[in-house]
Amino acid sequence: MPTDEVLLEVKDLHKYFGDLEVLKGISTEVRRGEVVAVVGLSGCGKSTFLRCINQLEVPTSGEIIFEGTNTLDGSIDITKLRERIGMVFQSFNLFPNMSVKKNIMLAPVKLKVMTEEEASVKAEELLKRVGLADKADEYPMKLSGGQQQRVAIARALAMNPDIMLFDEPTSALDPMMVGEVLNIIKELAESGMTMIVVTHEMGFAREVADRVMLFHNGVVVEDCTPEKFFNENDNPQVKEFLSHLI
């Protein structure tokens, strides 16, 4: 269950790409332990919003306050910030020339967060957690898409992040593999991990999220509980969005 502690606060966030304004003043708060599902049609700014949070994209203006610190302050160490903000992409982004275990160990060792021995133990624990204990020495290309995404989740967890960002983690998967990845994310939610999940999986948003945020043309047009979002919502933009899914 979410706590009262605000872990992440976004204030009036804008992002331009040239003359194109993709984010038009996003403001929200995320509490520790909260699971926020971000939904919306393609091109509405969802992924850009996530990428601004860990500064894969630099916001044009606004504030992002994470654990009490404005992360857009030029003095912030971005590498240190990303140690605490885990991110999982739709395209896995695993290193093909490294074993599964080495992929997971790489960041903690390279950033001197753990010794090689500690990272090895951690990698084995995480592979067990995502149901891939027997794949430690395999290479990513030998795995299914669902297995690769579970490795990517384990890799993000290796840094012991305080929040996890998921950018459409199942969109590149065959339908048969979607469930195995969503189950891992659901287990993380049940363990109390704070998460923002950009997703097209409405069943997941309905069952797992504490809040659903609907993006439309770079603004948040609804931000409410799943129950209200799916069952008793008079917002015409919510109705239009849900009509596209039927």
Side-chain angles (χ1 to χ4, degrees):
M1 290 291 292
T3 68
D4 291 333
E5 179 190 354
V6 175
L7 186 70
L8 174 72
E9 186 175 5
V10 179
K11 296 181 179 180
D12 197 27
L13 185 68
H14 291 257
K15 175 62 181 178
Y16 282 84
F17 291 100
D19 293 331
L20 178 64
E21 188 177 21
V22 177
L23 299 179
K24 304 173 183 177
I26 305 296
S27 295
T28 191
E29 293 180 348
V30 179
R31 285 166 169 74
R32 191 177 292 277
E34 191 171 28
V35 179
V36 179
V38 177
V39 303
L41 300 178
S42 295
C44 65
K46 307 182 303 292
S47 294
T48 301
F49 171 64
L50 277 199
R51 292 170 69 86
C52 282
I53 291 173
N54 74 349
Q55 293 199 46
L56 287 171
E57 300 288 355
V58 179
T60 305
S61 63
E63 292 182 80
I64 299 174
I65 299 166
F66 179 64
E67 297 182 330
T69 300
N70 183 0
T71 66
L72 304 184
D73 180 334
S75 66
I76 294 295
D77 184 333
I78 301 300
T79 302
K80 290 289 184 187
L81 176 70
R82 290 182 184 146
E83 288 178 16
R84 309 200 319 271
I85 302 178
M87 186 148 182
V88 176
F89 303 86
Q90 50 187 295
S91 55
F92 322 140
N93 291 358
L94 299 173
F95 293 104
N97 60 330
M98 293 184 181
S99 70
V100 162
K101 185 175 176 180
K102 291 290 187 184
N103 263 278
I104 297 170
M105 291 172 59
L106 180 65
V109 172
K110 191 171 183 180
L111 296 173
K112 297 183 169 55
V113 175
M114 300 178 195
T115 64
E116 191 133 354
E117 293 75 19
E118 289 168 339
S120 175
V121 171
K122 182 74 171 180
E124 288 171 7
E125 288 174 0
L126 289 168
L127 283 170
K128 185 175 181 181
R129 185 173 183 179
V130 300
L132 295 172
D134 60 334
K135 303 294 185 183
D137 297 323
E138 295 279 8
Y139 284 81
M141 296 307 291
K142 296 281 189 180
L143 305 182
S144 71
Q147 290 171 329
Q148 288 186 61
Q149 192 60 295
R150 283 188 278 159
V151 173
I153 293 170
R155 180 181 61 183
L157 290 171
M159 295 298 294
N160 296 317
D162 294 329
I163 188 171
M164 287 279 283
L165 311 178
F166 291 88
D167 188 7
E168 299 189 20
T170 60
S171 65
L173 302 179
D174 293 333
M176 295 286 287
M177 299 174 185
V178 169
E180 66 187 63
V181 172
L182 290 181
N183 284 339
I184 296 297
I185 301 173
K186 186 175 180 180
E187 288 169 14
L188 286 175
E190 290 168 350
S191 75
M193 175 64 75
T194 310
M195 296 189 283
I196 304 175
V197 186
V198 170
T199 184
H200 291 293
E201 300 292 336
M202 292 304 107
F204 172 84
R206 186 194 295 261
E207 294 167 25
V208 181
D210 298 297
R211 277 167 47 215
V212 180
M213 295 174 64
L214 174 62
F215 275 54
H216 179 75
N217 289 338
V219 299
V220 176
V221 295
E222 185 60 281
D223 184 350
C224 61
T225 65
E227 182 177 14
K228 181 180 179 186
F229 189 87
F230 291 105
N231 299 330
E232 48 192 69
N233 205 304
D234 295 326
N235 185 324
Q237 285 163 319
V238 173
K239 290 181 176 180
E240 181 189 3
F241 169 70
L242 292 175
S243 74
H244 280 86
L245 305 177
I246 298 171

